[in-house]
Amino acid sequence: MIRNEKFLILSAESTHFIIQLEKNLLEKNISCRVIPLPTEISANCGLAIRVEIDYMEEIKKIIIDEKIKVTMSIVEKNGLKKKIEKIYEEIQGE
């Protein structure tokens, strides 16, 4: 059976930003998981956060409110094929 998935990957330049973002997401009851950063996205800090796509708008608000510099990508997996689309690049809140 071929498994189809669609989810968000959040990556940053440092582990500190990933840990800070994970804490903020969990405090807002957004289920997330720290994972190894897929090399197709970047070779930055080596860690990323995987989260369901349903939370995209809430995550954008957290990123801006907390001034966390992050890259957000949508990952679509269809069996062994993987498509990654960066939708936010290095967001920096004001």
Side-chain angles (χ1 to χ4, degrees):
M1 182 173 174
I2 295 177
R3 186 172 180 186
N4 297 326
E5 296 180 278
K6 190 171 183 178
F7 53 90
L8 295 174
I9 295 288
L10 308 171
S11 59
E13 292 182 5
S14 77
T15 303
H16 172 76
F17 290 137
I18 292 296
I19 300 303
Q20 179 185 0
L21 183 56
E22 179 194 29
K23 179 182 172 191
N24 288 334
L25 294 176
L26 292 173
E27 285 174 356
K28 306 244 187 297
N29 295 318
I30 297 174
S31 179
C32 63
R33 183 172 83 197
V34 175
I35 63 167
L37 177 64
T39 55
E40 299 95 339
I41 294 176
S42 176
N44 281 343
C45 78
L47 293 178
I49 294 177
R50 178 183 168 148
V51 67
E52 294 304 315
I53 201 159
D54 300 337
Y55 296 111
M56 186 172 5
E57 294 306 316
E58 290 175 70
I59 292 169
K60 286 179 188 176
K61 184 175 178 353
I62 293 168
I63 289 168
I64 292 167
D65 290 349
E66 300 295 328
K67 299 179 176 139
I68 301 171
K69 194 172 182 184
V70 80
T71 299
M72 185 184 305
S73 302
I74 293 177
V75 178
E76 291 184 64
K77 291 174 89 175
N78 297 311
L80 298 175
K81 293 182 181 179
K82 186 188 316 183
K83 178 183 170 193
I84 299 173
E85 177 186 354
K86 290 184 182 178
I87 55 172
Y88 262 25
E89 295 249 18
E90 306 302 333
I91 296 299
Q92 181 66 54
E94 296 183 9

